[in-house]
Amino acid sequence: MSFTSQQALVNAKISIPAPGPHTISRPRLVDELRDGLRRPLTIVTAPAGFGKTTMVADALRSEAGRLDVAWLSLDAEDRHLIRFLYHLVAAVQSAVPNVGRAPVFLIGRLQLPAASDLLTALLSELAETSRHVVIVVDGYHAVSSPEIDAAIAFLVDHLPTQLHLVLISREVPPLPLARWRLQQRLSEIGLESLRFSAGESARFLTAAIGLALPEDLLRTLERKTEGWIAGLQMAALSLQHSADNASMASFAQRVDAFGGEHRHVLDYLAEEVFNRQPQEIRDFLQRTSALDRLCAPLCDAVTGTANSRNLLIRLEQANMFLMRLDENRQWFRYHPLFAEFLRAGCDLKEQQRQHLQASRWYAANNFEEEAIRHAFAARDFPTTVRLLRDFADKVLARGELSKLRSWLDELPDDLVRAHSDLACYKAWTLCLAGRTAEGQPYAALARELETDDEPLHRRGMLGAIHAYIALSWGDPKDAVALAKQALGRLGECASFFRVYAHSLLGQAQALAGERVAATSTLSKGVQLGQQLDNHFMTVDTMGALIPMMIGQGKLREARAMCQKAISRFVDAKESPAPVAALLYIRLGIIDHEQNDLESARYRLLTGIELSRQLGMVFYALLGLRALAKLQHVCGEREAAWNTLAEASEIAQRPESTRRARLISLLIAELQLREGNVEGAMRTLDDTRALPCAVGEEEDLLAARIYLARHQPTRALNILATLEKNAGAEGFHGSLIVIHILQALCRKAAGEKAAATRCLSKAVSLAAPGGYRRVFLDEGRAVADLLGETRHVDPGFVNRLLEAFALDEETLPSSALQQSLSRMEREILKLLNLGLTNQQIGEKLGITVSTTKWYLTQMFGKLDVRNRTQAIARARQLGLL
C-alpha cells in the first residue's frame, strides 16, 4: 500500500467522528463524563446503537481548548496486540505531536513484555506534558483479548495524573474493574445513562423529521424503543418518507406498528426503509454489503457499474446509515446494524463474489493487506496464496514481518505444510520472533518438500532461509555454502532474498574468520539493497557491515553511514521507523566508543524498542548487550546485570549458540572488570566449548585474563597472532585494541619503553577515528602511560586524560564492584531457606532460567561452585 493510502486509513481511525446531521446536545452526559475525568479510567458500555461514540465525541468536543483528545476507532483488524499498540501510539501522537519519538509505529508482533516496555516509554513522555490528555479507545469489544486486556490494565495502573483513558465497548471488558472501583480509579457510564430520555427523544425526532410529534406518540416511541437511539433513528427515517403529506393518524399507525426488538427493527428496515428505496439504490446496497469500507472506485469494481460516487453521495445525504470516514468524503462505511441487515439478505455465493471483486481491486491498487483479507473472507485459498507470494517481497522489504506472519497464521496449517515456500516462510518468521521451537518443524518440512521442479527464484528464497538457520544454529561455514548457493539460484532477479542472501553470506564469512571477504560481500549487499529499495535488508546488511568498518578503523565513516540511513527511515512526524532499529543500536555503539554516553544510551534504548516493534529478537539482544556494557561503564552495576539477564533470556529462548556466545563473552568481560578473574576464565572456557567458531573477541578476552593473572607472556603470544592477522587484513580498529593490550603486557613485564611504543601505535591509529572507550575501559594502567604519547597527537591524548579523570570521579569503589545486586541478595536469602529454583522464581516473579542465570553470576562473585558453598561463603562474609 502506498504511504498516502496507508495514512488515509490510519487518519480515519484516529480522527474524532464528525457530528451527525441530527445530533442533539446531552448536557447531563457531558457533565457525567466530565466528572469521570477526575479518575484515570472511564468505561462507556451499552449494546450497539445507544449513541456511545456520538455522546463521548460530543462531550469532548465541548471541552476543546481545555484538554487534548487522542481518539482511536477499533475494528476486528486491530485484534493483534502490535497493530492495536501501533494505532494507539498514532492516536496519541495526533493529540500530542511531540511524544512517541522512541515508541512509534509497530511493524512486527510484540511479545507481552514488550507491550509494557512500549507503554512505559509512552507514559514517561506523556508525563512531561502539562496538558490534560484524554485517550479514547472506541470499539474495544472488537479487539479484547488476554494480551490487549493486559496492556490496557498496565496502562490504567500507570497513568500519570494529567492523563485519562475512555474505553467505549458493547460489552463489559474483562479487566480488573472490581479492584479499580475499590481504588476509586474507575468511572462507569452504562446503558441506563445512555438511553434517550423522553425529552431527548422528542428533541431528536423533531430535528430528524422536522415536525413535532404529539406527546402520546413520543411516549409510545419512548416505550417501544426504551431509549435505543438507533431504533429512534430508524423510526425517524421511516417517518421522513411521508412527513410532507401524511396525516397525524398515519404517523400514529406507523408509530404503533414500530417494534422495539432487534428482530422487529430488522424486519422494519426491510419493509419500511430498504424496500422503499429505488431499485438502483437497493441493488447497490446489497451488492456492496460485504465491504467494511467503501470508496467509489472500489464500489464500481464490485458492482460492475460506473456511478458509485453519485450513489454514495445520495446515501449520505439521505442519512442511510452511511458513515463518513474522512473529511474529503472519499471513504465510508455502513452503520454496523444496517450492514448486518444487508448481509443477511445476500447468500453466501454473492458475499464471496463481492469479497473476490474487492480483493482484485485492492490488489490492483496496492492495498496488500485489504486484498488478502478479502481473499480470506471469500475462503479462496488459492487466490490468497497467490497474493501472499506476490506481496511477500514488498511487505518484507518494508520490514513488516508481523504482517506476513499473521497471513501465514490465518491460512489452514495443512495448506502451509503442503507448500515448501509457505512452510519456509513460517519457519523463518517464527525463528526471527524467537519462537524457534515452533519454527524448526516447519523448516524441516520445507527441506523435505523442496524439489528441483520449483522455480529457481523460489529455490533461492528457500536456500537463503536455510542459510539463516545454519548461521544461527549451525556452523557458519555451512551457512557460507548455503548463502552462495542461494545467490546462484537468485541470479539477477529483484527478489528480497537476493539482498538477504548477501547479508547472510557476509555475516557467515565474518563468523568464519573471513573478514575481508565479509566486508566486500556486505558492501555489495548494501548497494544492491539501495538499488532495489529493499529497506529492511539494506539496514540489516548495513548493520552487519558497520562492525567490519569499526574493526577497520573507519569509525567516523561508520557514523556517517548510520546517520544518513537513519534520516531516511522516519515517518511524517520525523519519528523513527522500526525498520531503522539496528541502525540505532549500531550508532549507539559508536557513540559509546566515542565516549558520548548520553547519546549512546538514548540510541540504544530507541533501537531496542524499535527492535521489539519490528519483531526481531536478535536486534533486541544486540541492543541489550550494548546497553548492559554502557550501564556497567557508568557504574550502574545492578542495572547492567539485570539488562544482561534479560538479554540472556532472549538468547536461551531460541537456543542459538551464536547468541549464547555473545552473552557469555560479555559476562566474562564484566566479571573481569569487577575483579572476578577466575569467574571470567570459567565463563570463557564455557564459551569456547560452544559449537561455534572462536573469533578475535574470545582471543582478546583470553589475553586480558592472562594479563590479570600476571601471565603477560602468554597474553603476548595470543596478541602476536592477532596482530599479524589484523595487519594482513587491514583491520586497524582491531590493531588499536591489540596495541593497547600489548602495551599493558610490556608494562607488566617492566618494559616501559616498549610499552610506550605500543601505546603510541594505538594512539596514532585511534586519533583519526576518535576511538576513546577502548583506552578508557582499560583503566588507570593505560592512563599512566598516556602522558608519554603526547607527541603522537597532543589534543587527542589530552582529551583522553581529561576523560580518565572524569571516569575516576564517577566509577564506584572496588568493594561496590564486588557487591551482590539486590536481586542476587534476595535469591541468596531464599537459597538459605532451602527453596528450589522453581520456588525462588515463583517468589520473585522470574522464570527458572533467569533464576539459574542469577545463581551463576552470584556463584562467580562469591567464587563458589554450588549452593552449599554459596551459603557458607555468604555466612562467612556476614551476608546471611
Side-chain angles (χ1 to χ4, degrees):
M1 185 189 305
S2 68
F3 174 81
T4 303
S5 303
Q6 177 69 50
Q7 196 62 46
L9 291 177
V10 173
N11 287 344
K13 298 182 76 67
I14 63 175
S15 299
I16 301 176
H22 308 306
T23 301
I24 63 168
S25 62
R26 307 183 73 185
R28 63 183 179 86
L29 285 176
V30 172
D31 291 342
E32 189 172 347
L33 186 65
R34 184 188 296 124
D35 183 63
L37 295 181
R38 294 181 299 175
R39 296 175 178 178
L41 175 65
T42 295
I43 294 183
V44 182
T45 55
F50 275 90
K52 303 179 291 296
T53 299
T54 301
M55 182 277 293
V56 174
D58 188 50
L60 293 178
R61 211 176 277 112
S62 70
E63 297 294 300
R66 194 179 71 84
L67 50 81
D68 297 320
V69 179
W71 190 286
L72 174 57
S73 299
L74 300 172
D75 52 45
E77 295 172 40
D78 301 305
R79 65 187 181 277
H80 298 299
L81 177 62
I82 297 307
R83 187 180 178 91
F84 170 77
L85 292 174
Y86 166 90
H87 287 133
L88 180 66
V89 174
V92 171
Q93 288 184 317
S94 72
V96 191
N98 292 327
V99 304
R101 290 292 178 180
V104 287
F105 293 109
L106 311 169
I107 312 176
R109 180 178 294 275
L110 280 176
Q111 303 301 316
L112 186 58
S116 62
D117 289 345
L118 172 63
L119 291 171
T120 298
L122 182 64
L123 291 172
S124 297
E125 294 189 40
L126 283 169
E128 296 176 8
T129 181
S130 59
R131 295 283 295 170
H132 193 132
V133 181
V134 177
I135 303 173
V136 181
V137 178
D138 187 13
Y140 189 73
H141 57 275
V143 302
S144 181
S145 68
E147 294 82 7
I148 292 178
D149 293 338
I152 288 294
F154 179 91
L155 183 64
V156 172
D157 284 334
H158 296 83
L159 281 175
T161 55
Q162 71 271 34
L163 221 65
H164 188 89
L165 178 65
V166 177
L167 292 183
I168 304 174
S169 178
R170 292 184 184 179
E171 304 164 1
V172 176
L175 297 168
L177 303 183
R179 170 165 64 84
W180 290 337
R181 289 189 192 104
L182 288 174
Q183 296 171 339
Q184 296 189 337
R185 298 179 63 81
L186 173 65
S187 298
E188 297 174 86
I189 300 177
L191 178 60
E192 293 306 316
S193 295
L194 288 164
R195 294 181 193 276
F196 262 174
S197 66
E200 288 169 336
S201 296
R203 285 191 288 120
F204 172 80
L205 287 168
T206 300
I209 65 175
L211 183 68
L213 292 177
E215 190 69 23
D216 60 332
L217 294 185
L218 287 172
R219 283 198 301 271
T220 300
L221 277 175
E222 169 68 13
R223 176 177 56 80
K224 286 177 174 287
T225 62
E226 297 182 335
W228 182 41
I229 300 168
L232 283 169
Q233 185 180 10
M234 294 175 189
L237 184 62
S238 175
L239 294 174
Q240 279 178 331
H241 289 296
S242 53
D244 293 336
N245 51 22
S247 65
M248 200 54 65
S250 174
F251 274 126
Q253 289 175 350
R254 290 179 178 276
V255 169
D256 189 57
F258 191 81
E261 296 291 330
H262 283 201
R263 179 174 59 83
H264 295 159
V265 171
L266 292 176
D267 290 344
Y268 188 82
L269 273 173
E271 296 171 11
E272 299 295 333
V273 178
F274 182 76
N275 291 342
R276 289 176 178 268
Q277 301 305 312
Q279 187 65 45
E280 181 185 33
I281 293 291
R282 287 190 311 218
D283 289 345
F284 180 84
L285 290 171
Q286 284 197 322
R287 295 175 72 180
T288 57
S289 60
L291 305 178
D292 51 2
R293 296 188 184 93
L294 305 93
C295 68
L298 170 60
C299 293
D300 283 345
V302 172
T303 61
T305 62
N307 65 336
S308 296
R309 180 64 184 164
N310 293 333
L311 293 176
L312 287 170
I313 292 172
R314 285 170 60 185
L315 289 172
E316 185 187 20
Q317 290 174 342
N319 197 29
M320 282 286 294
F321 304 102
L322 189 71
M323 312 299 177
R324 190 168 75 241
L325 293 177
D326 60 7
E327 293 300 323
N328 297 324
R329 287 182 164 84
Q330 298 295 320
W331 288 91
F332 302 86
R333 68 170 176 83
Y334 292 125
H335 184 284
L337 289 179
F338 190 57
E340 290 174 15
F341 159 76
L342 293 174
R343 288 164 192 158
C346 293
D347 60 29
L348 179 61
K349 186 175 181 180
E350 168 59 18
Q351 290 189 44
Q352 288 178 329
R353 184 199 68 78
Q354 292 181 32
H355 283 302
L356 278 177
Q357 290 297 114
S359 178
R360 291 184 184 123
W361 183 87
Y362 277 124
N365 287 274
N366 294 315
F367 288 78
E368 301 108 344
E369 189 165 1
E370 287 74 15
I372 288 184
R373 179 165 47 80
H374 279 284
F376 271 121
R379 307 300 290 172
D380 186 339
F381 294 124
T383 296
T384 305
V385 170
R386 177 179 57 78
L387 290 173
L388 187 152
R389 286 169 172 159
D390 289 346
F391 292 139
D393 267 17
K394 292 181 182 178
V395 169
L396 291 174
R398 296 195 299 264
E400 297 173 352
L401 300 170
S402 63
K403 185 178 288 187
L404 177 60
R405 189 164 58 245
S406 69
W407 293 340
L408 293 165
D409 287 344
E410 199 167 344
L411 283 173
D413 195 54
D414 58 351
L415 181 61
V416 174
R417 291 174 175 275
H419 297 273
S420 60
D421 59 333
L422 300 183
C424 210
Y425 275 133
K426 184 99 170 185
W428 181 57
T429 55
L430 287 170
C431 290
L432 287 176
R435 295 161 60 185
T436 311
E438 299 173 63
Q440 291 284 23
Y442 287 99
L445 182 62
R447 288 191 187 93
E448 294 175 12
L449 292 171
E450 186 177 354
T451 67
D452 294 338
D453 297 333
E454 294 190 69
L456 269 180
H457 72 275
R458 190 178 298 172
R459 293 179 64 202
M461 177 269 286
L462 294 169
I465 295 177
H466 293 323
Y468 160 76
I469 293 171
L471 180 65
S472 299
W473 288 274
D475 189 327
K477 292 180 180 179
D478 292 338
V480 168
L482 286 167
K484 286 181 176 179
Q485 184 183 65
L487 283 171
R489 291 173 175 175
L490 290 164
E492 297 299 313
C493 73
S495 168
F496 166 89
F497 289 95
R498 184 176 163 207
V499 186
Y500 189 37
H502 273 90
S503 177
L504 293 168
L505 176 58
Q507 293 178 62
Q509 287 170 329
L511 285 175
E514 304 170 21
R515 293 193 293 185
V516 175
T519 304
S520 174
T521 300
L522 294 169
S523 298
K524 292 175 183 175
V526 170
Q527 293 174 2
L528 181 63
Q530 292 170 339
Q531 291 170 12
L532 299 178
D533 284 330
N534 188 339
H535 303 315
F536 180 33
M537 277 303 106
T538 298
V539 170
D540 185 77
T541 311
M542 196 177 289
L545 175 61
I546 286 166
M548 298 293 103
M549 296 175 69
I550 295 172
Q552 290 174 323
K554 299 177 180 178
L555 193 64
R556 295 191 192 280
E557 293 89 336
R559 168 182 288 282
M561 177 182 282
C562 273
Q563 290 174 328
K564 182 179 179 181
I566 281 174
S567 67
R568 295 179 56 207
F569 300 116
V570 293
D571 60 26
K573 298 177 181 177
E574 297 299 311
S575 297
V579 74
L582 186 55
L583 294 175
Y584 273 92
I585 290 167
R586 294 304 188 197
L587 188 54
I589 291 170
I590 293 169
D591 285 332
H592 184 176
E593 179 53 48
Q594 295 187 322
N595 206 34
D596 186 353
L597 302 185
E598 185 177 345
S599 294
R601 188 184 298 268
Y602 164 73
R603 262 115 184 203
L604 290 174
L605 289 172
T606 300
I608 292 165
E609 198 57 60
L610 294 175
S611 299
R612 289 168 174 156
Q613 296 172 27
L614 189 61
M616 291 291 288
V617 294
F618 183 60
Y619 292 0
L621 182 146
L622 292 175
L624 289 167
R625 184 179 187 268
L627 179 62
K629 190 171 183 177
L630 172 70
Q631 291 168 328
H632 203 271
V633 162
C634 294
E636 303 163 18
R637 308 300 196 209
E638 183 171 348
W641 287 106
N642 287 338
T643 299
L644 200 48
E646 185 180 353
S648 178
E649 198 161 338
I650 291 175
Q652 291 170 13
R653 215 182 305 150
E655 300 175 351
S656 165
T657 53
R658 181 189 182 193
R659 298 171 189 181
R661 169 183 172 270
L662 288 172
I663 299 304
S664 294
L665 285 173
L666 184 57
I667 290 171
E669 181 181 334
L670 299 190
Q671 287 173 327
L672 184 60
R673 296 194 187 285
E674 293 184 0
N676 185 1
V677 180
E678 295 310 311
M681 192 67 197
R682 286 196 296 270
T683 303
L684 180 59
D685 288 341
D686 291 342
T687 306
R688 288 178 180 274
L690 292 172
C692 55
V694 175
E696 183 182 79
E697 194 172 356
E698 284 95 334
D699 289 336
L700 287 171
L701 187 55
R704 286 192 177 93
I705 292 172
Y706 284 129
L707 182 60
R709 295 173 78 176
H710 310 294
Q711 297 174 290
T713 303
R714 296 190 68 176
L716 284 169
N717 289 336
I718 294 173
L719 294 169
T721 302
L722 292 177
E723 181 184 13
K724 180 181 177 181
N725 293 337
E729 294 171 329
F731 269 65
H732 295 161
S734 296
L735 285 173
I736 297 169
V737 187
I738 292 165
H739 289 323
I740 291 171
L741 292 177
Q742 285 173 331
L744 293 175
C745 289
R746 296 298 180 187
K747 181 184 178 185
E751 304 170 17
K752 187 175 180 182
T756 302
R757 286 195 299 273
C758 290
L759 196 58
S760 295
K761 292 179 184 178
V763 169
S764 67
L765 292 172
Y771 291 78
R772 291 185 175 85
R773 281 306 326 173
V774 69
F775 294 91
L776 297 172
D777 289 346
E778 300 304 333
R780 171 49 56 188
V782 167
D784 292 340
L785 288 172
L786 264 178
E788 304 297 323
T789 67
R790 277 195 176 90
H791 63 281
V792 179
D793 193 316
F796 179 73
V797 171
N798 287 336
R799 286 190 293 274
L800 274 180
L801 288 170
E802 290 170 5
F804 267 114
L806 288 173
D807 262 15
E808 288 173 356
E809 290 176 12
T810 57
L811 282 175
S813 68
S814 177
L816 181 57
Q817 289 179 25
Q818 286 294 94
S819 67
L820 300 179
S821 69
R822 180 189 59 78
M823 181 66 78
E824 287 165 346
R825 291 193 297 273
E826 290 296 320
I827 290 175
L828 189 59
K829 291 176 185 177
L830 298 175
L831 212 61
N832 193 40
L833 297 175
L835 272 63
T836 65
N837 290 347
Q838 179 73 39
Q839 292 168 329
I840 291 172
E842 290 172 357
K843 284 274 187 183
L844 299 179
I846 58 179
T847 64
V848 173
S849 62
T850 302
T851 303
K852 291 178 180 177
W853 191 89
Y854 275 115
L855 284 171
T856 301
Q857 305 318 307
M858 185 173 64
F859 291 167
K861 291 180 181 182
L862 294 173
D863 197 21
V864 298
R865 291 185 176 275
N866 56 47
R867 289 163 160 255
T868 304
Q869 291 176 358
I871 294 169
R873 179 67 173 154
R875 288 173 177 164
Q876 183 183 17
L877 296 172
L879 297 175
L880 290 174

